Amino acid sequence: MDPLDILSFNHCFDYADKSTTSEKTKKFHYVDESPPNANESTPTLLLIHGFPDFWYGWRYQIGPWVRKGYRVIAPDCTGYNATYQPSELESYTPKAVCEDLIGLLDSLGIRRVVVVGHDWGAAITWRLCAWYPERIRAIAVASVPYTLPPREFIPVDEMARRVPDYGYMMYFASKESTAEIHGKLLRFFKLVYSSYELSESRGWARGDNMRKIIKGELAINASGDLLTIEELEAYLRAFTPTEENRGLEGPLSYYRTGPLRYEQEKDLPVNLPPELPVLFIQPTLDPSCPDHLVQRMSKYIPNLKIVQVDCGHWVMLEKRDEMTTLVPDWLDGLQLEDPPLSKL
């Protein structure tokens, strides 16, 4: 498992459709790695990536976590890369994505997992705890704090007004953003994967700056310094639209599901299960992870540990060694016991 060699990982395909479905259409691509001595009691880590990312975002963690004794499953989420890419907006709500991930686990015969989520993968992880608590042994979440199930619908522009660093969401939620970003894909990925410390890269999340940068109305020097040339090329291959790959259309659809999310989530409980162990990794330089939202989580998550790391949004890259160590060390302290976590 060489982080710089995509083909060195064990790539698999399976279907996430319910077992009662006669025609399988939800084809998932995922990486599946296990330690040499794996058996029925080997605990499984399910890694859920965010935006704009794919399974590859976990490339520096997969090998070390396998060597620590875990089976690791890292899928491309619904709409991403080599996983099926539906056209219906309803397929991109957290509830639908959670259903797909549980369907994939069912296909693999996996009953309970430890979930590790980042960015949109964090948002999906939080909702997995609400809809499928019986399937989850523990969760480790990075960069996106727990958000309460909505009791009222908040439009994306109002959300951006309340949290100015969420301004980019307005652009991503617009239909025209897909084609515009496809036309400037290299600029987009170099912008998003630049260190937060680079002062010129800090403002892209605010207001209408992302749209202006993509359309060339606002000049910014974005180096993409978090990625090597080879890594940047891997992202461009994964998100360049082709006849088989809709590029960013599916991933950006997650941002366009606000009204649907409200209807599906408005009656969910606000508290997470008291017996569920939760690790939150807070990047202190990430503008999308405001401290006040992090600190209020303890009101709703009884079994919560918060660890701060001094970096921007991309914890798995910027603090790859800390991220790689934090999760298994925390899990060691939980002393996970039978019943087995892995099998249905």
Side-chain angles (χ1 to χ4, degrees):
M1 288 169 278
D2 179 357
L4 300 182
D5 182 3
I6 284 181
L7 296 180
S8 69
F9 292 85
N10 180 37
H11 294 266
C12 304
F13 288 90
D14 211 321
Y15 289 89
D17 302 84
K18 295 179 180 179
S19 58
T20 55
T21 303
S22 58
E23 183 180 356
K24 306 295 185 183
T25 60
K26 297 182 176 182
K27 189 177 183 179
F28 259 73
H29 166 259
Y30 60 99
V31 163
D32 188 351
E33 298 282 359
S34 297
N37 59 344
N39 54 46
E40 290 187 355
S41 63
T42 300
T44 298
L45 304 184
L46 174 66
L47 313 185
I48 310 178
H49 66 80
F51 175 91
D53 210 345
F54 59 120
W55 75 267
Y56 187 63
W58 302 104
R59 60 195 175 277
Y60 290 103
Q61 284 73 45
I62 293 173
W65 289 347
V66 170
R67 290 188 286 273
K68 287 288 290 184
Y70 294 95
R71 180 182 181 182
V72 175
I73 296 175
D76 289 330
C77 287
T78 305
Y80 281 82
N81 192 34
T83 286
Y84 89 110
Q85 300 182 3
S87 57
E88 305 83 5
L89 191 60
E90 293 81 2
S91 298
Y92 296 99
T93 66
K95 185 174 184 179
V97 176
C98 286
E99 181 179 296
D100 281 351
L101 291 171
I102 293 299
L104 178 62
L105 294 179
D106 288 346
S107 293
L108 298 177
I110 299 172
R111 174 62 185 172
R112 303 181 73 205
V113 291
V114 174
V115 185
V116 187
H118 174 257
D119 188 79
W120 262 106
I124 301 301
T125 300
W126 294 125
R127 293 304 184 245
L128 270 171
C129 299
W131 280 305
Y132 298 96
E134 74 283 358
R135 305 298 295 269
I136 301 174
R137 180 61 185 87
I139 65 170
V141 175
S143 301
V144 173
Y146 175 64
T147 55
L148 300 178
R151 297 304 186 246
E152 62 175 335
F153 174 62
I154 302 175
V156 66
D157 56 342
E158 173 60 18
M159 188 181 304
R161 188 192 67 79
R162 297 182 185 185
V163 185
D165 282 311
Y166 288 175
Y168 68 94
M169 294 184 182
M170 290 190 295
Y171 180 54
F172 289 168
S174 68
K175 291 184 178 181
E176 60 268 20
S177 64
T178 303
E180 290 174 357
I181 297 174
H182 280 162
K184 301 294 181 182
L185 208 57
L186 177 60
R187 177 184 298 175
F188 176 69
F189 275 96
K190 291 181 74 172
L191 177 66
V192 173
Y193 281 93
S194 292
S195 297
Y196 180 74
E197 286 83 356
L198 298 178
S199 59
E200 287 194 50
S201 298
R202 293 181 183 180
W204 65 258
R206 287 181 162 258
D208 198 30
N209 285 353
M210 175 60 80
R211 183 192 64 80
K212 291 179 179 178
I213 293 168
I214 294 299
K215 299 191 73 173
E217 298 171 3
L218 177 64
I220 193 167
N221 180 24
S223 67
D225 62 300
L226 294 179
L227 303 175
T228 66
I229 293 175
E230 293 78 14
E231 289 172 329
L232 178 58
E233 289 174 346
Y235 279 94
L236 294 177
R237 285 194 299 270
F239 289 96
T240 296
T242 65
E243 289 186 6
E244 296 79 25
N245 185 345
R246 299 171 71 225
L248 285 164
E249 181 63 33
L252 284 169
S253 294
Y254 286 63
Y255 291 93
R256 300 166 184 167
T257 60
L260 296 172
R261 294 200 304 269
Y262 165 69
E263 291 297 332
Q264 293 176 350
E265 300 178 9
K266 62 184 180 180
D267 296 323
L268 288 176
V270 297
N271 295 317
L272 267 59
E275 69 279 3
L276 178 69
V278 177
L279 172 67
F280 184 75
I281 301 167
Q282 178 188 3
T284 57
L285 300 179
D286 184 356
S288 65
C289 187
D291 188 65
H292 72 280
L293 295 182
V294 175
Q295 297 308 316
R296 78 172 188 179
M297 291 196 301
S298 59
K299 286 181 59 178
Y300 309 101
I301 307 174
N303 196 355
L304 172 66
K305 179 178 181 179
I306 299 173
V307 176
Q308 293 184 331
V309 289
D310 294 326
C311 67
H313 184 70
W314 300 102
V315 185
M316 302 100 76
L317 297 176
E318 298 176 60
K319 294 292 183 180
R320 65 186 64 165
D321 292 338
E322 287 184 47
M323 180 72 179
T324 301
T325 302
L326 272 173
V327 173
D329 284 356
W330 173 69
L331 290 172
D332 286 347
L334 298 180
Q335 299 179 335
L336 299 180
E337 299 175 351
D338 289 336
L341 303 182
S342 301
K343 291 295 181 180
L344 281 167

